[in-house]
Structures are given as C-alpha cells and as structure tokens.
Amino acid sequence: MSDRDLSLLSDRELARLERDIARRHIGKFPWFIVICAIVNFAIWISLWPLVFTGIIPVWLGLIIASINAAVGYLPSHEAQHDIIARPGSKLRWLNELIGHLSTIPLALPYKLAKVTHQEHHKHTNHPELDPDVSSHARGPWHAVWRSIVNRQPRAKGAFNAYGRTLVRLKRFDVLREAAVCRLAWFMSLFALAWCGHAIEAAALWWLPHHIGYTYIQFYLSWAPHHPAEETHPHRATRSFRSVVGNLGSMGMQYHVVHHLHPRIPLYRTPQAYWEMKPVLEARGANVDGL
Amino acid sequence: MGRGLKSVFYFGPLIFAAGFIAPLAAQLIGRTGWAPPFGLSPLATGLLIAAALGIPAQIRGRWI
C-alpha cells in the first residue's frame, strides 16, 4: 500500500492495519531468546570456576560477565511480557524460570523488574508515574552519568524509584521479595569477599551489575525515549540508529514497535518495524530515526 | 521483617563498606604487593579505606 493510499485512511483504519501487521508477528515461540537465556546463564556460571582456578584471567571474566549481565536482561524482558508463554499455558513455568534466571548476573529481581516495567509501558515519560523517567538526559554521556547517579543509595531514580512505584501500587509482596533478593546478593558478595575472593566477586558480579545496568538503562530507557517530552504512545518512543548497530544496542533501534505491541518477540521487531513503518508514519509516530 | 530490612538498607553504605570494600581493598593491596605505610596490615588498611569511603557515603547518601 502506498503512502498516498494511507493518507486517505482514518486513524481507526490505520490502527486496524497496524494491529493486523502486529498480529502476524505475535504468538511465535521465541526459540532464539530461550536458547540465548540458557547459554548466557551457563557461560556466567562457568566463569566462576574458570576464574577461581586461574584458567581465565579476572579481567577477561569481568568483560564476559558484564556482557552476560546486560544480555541476560533481554530474555527476562521477553518473560516480563509473557512472550515465552502466556499465564495458564503449558510452558508457563519456562517463562517464569527464564525470567528469574536471566537477571541473576544483573542482580535484578525478576518480579520487581516485571511490575515496574509494566508501569513504564503504561506511563512512558510521565514525570511522576514512569519508574524509568529518571534515566532521561540531555545526551549520551549525560545518560551514562544519570544512570550512575540514579543508583546512589538515596537517589531518586533506579531502585528507589522502583520501590516508590511498588508502594504506590501497594505491591508490598514484590517489594519484600525484591528486598530479600537484594539482601541475598549483598550477603553473597560479603561472604565471597571475607572468604578471600573479593576481587573475583567484584569482577564477576558486582561490577557487571553496574556496567550491565548502565548499558541497559542507556539502550532501553534513554535512547529509545529521548528526548522524553511526549507521553502519547506513538510519540513516547522513537526509532533510532545506534553507532553499535542493532545487535550492539540489544535490538532497541526498533523499540517503538515493542512499546506499541509489547507481545511481538524481540527478534521479530525489525521485520515488524519495516512492515509497519508507513502506517506508523501516517499515525504520526516518531520513526524518523530509521 | 519489613522494618528490619528497612534498617539494613538505611545503613547500606556502612554495611557495604565493611562487608565488601574492606576485604576488596585488602585483597587488592595483597595482589599488587603494595606495602601500606606505618606497618599497617592490608586488612587494617582496607578497613581504613572502607571507613573513608563508607562514612561520607552514609552521611551524604551517595558514593560519588
């Protein structure tokens, strides 16, 4: 269909076209992301004996673990949107297992991530209701700085913003579980450190948590929503061209499609974007970046 | 339980400094072979570094 034809359609007809395209990409079992989750977690686990026994140096362990931490968020993100298996389905356990396991290298409790991420979708760029709004920044370096600042103990963003969101939603169960998970992470680090493995613990878990979290905040929170001034679903997220490509940006160049149709698996968002782009343009979406 | 957890997180910077930064600094000193001044042991030096970082972080609510 040409752009000219689309201009003749009403918004309702355009919305139907958009939904029809989205539907073609929803419901496919995301084998790739499931395998990615298992392999990524297995690599991270194997780093511990490899580094402890000196088979690979600590610095190499740090680099690989940081990649594991960032990459691990992606399968969990799919699980947060029930893309691997819907509630009540036969493979639901796999969805939840992947969700929980994948974010262990990142030390991010799955349920906390799920509930706050759903709020981010509902209220994208809203100054008070979007839990990720504090990641907004003037430019790329400012975004990195903001991500670090937001993680300070009494900062307003990141985990403290997630805590406030859970209190607002009265999800004290999730808040308690997240607090226990965070505490367990700290206790693991302390135990490793006082047993003489502080450097290894820092390289394989503590620093990867911070590096991975900064990377994720940059490509999932800042870049696709910059300048984060609009809240309309078609304007709150944009397509963008990353200097590290779609793979390096963890597939987020096409994040606009994910925000409009969150049940499309990550690996299908590029294809869905190109099919949907004329319709998105006709509906005023922020798709100038690609 | 909730109040207990809250207190632990409130004193997070101090606890993290003592629980992680002190042994980390001590082990980095040991790994690099650096000899701390005044005859201090690596662990004593690690605890001093942890206090120097942890106490301001506890007061200001930020590490940086």
Side-chain angles (χ1 to χ4, degrees), chain A residues 58 145 148-149 151-155 175-176 178-180 182-183 186 189-202 206, chain B residues 1-2 5 8-10 12-13 15-25 27-28 31 43 47 57-64:
Chain A
V58 174
W145 177 247
I148 296 165
V149 167
R151 259 172 288 136
Q152 299 306 302
R154 286 204 287 274
L175 186 60
R176 212 167 9 250
V180 170
R182 291 278 292 169
L183 202 58
F186 283 121
L189 291 178
F190 298 170
L192 283 162
W194 283 99
C195 288
H197 302 294
I199 296 169
E200 291 82 358
W206 179 54
Chain B
M1 188 188 179
L5 278 174
V8 170
F9 282 105
Y10 181 79
I15 296 169
F16 187 76
F20 194 67
I21 294 178
L24 178 63
Q27 284 161 44
L28 283 171
R31 190 76 62 97
L43 186 57
L47 283 165
Q58 179 65 44
I59 295 166
R60 297 187 310 165
R62 55 191 165 90
W63 292 95
I64 51 170

Side-chain angles (χ1 to χ4, degrees), chain A residues 69-132:
Chain A
V71 169
Y73 183 77
L74 297 177
S76 175
H77 181 239
E78 300 283 90
Q80 288 165 31
H81 288 288
D82 304 323
I83 288 171
I84 298 165
R86 301 284 289 161
S89 65
K90 216 165 58 183
L91 287 175
R92 181 62 179 171
W93 62 271
L94 184 63
N95 189 83
E96 296 306 277
L97 180 70
I98 299 270
H100 282 284
L101 274 188
S102 307
T103 49
I104 291 175
L106 191 61
L108 176 68
Y110 169 60
K111 281 193 182 163
L112 167 91
K114 181 170 183 158
V115 174
T116 55
H117 186 63
Q118 283 167 350
E119 283 299 291
H120 163 65
H121 270 260
K122 267 190 220 162
H123 307 290
T124 310
N125 296 344
H126 189 287
E128 279 140 34
L129 300 177
D130 181 356
D132 290 327

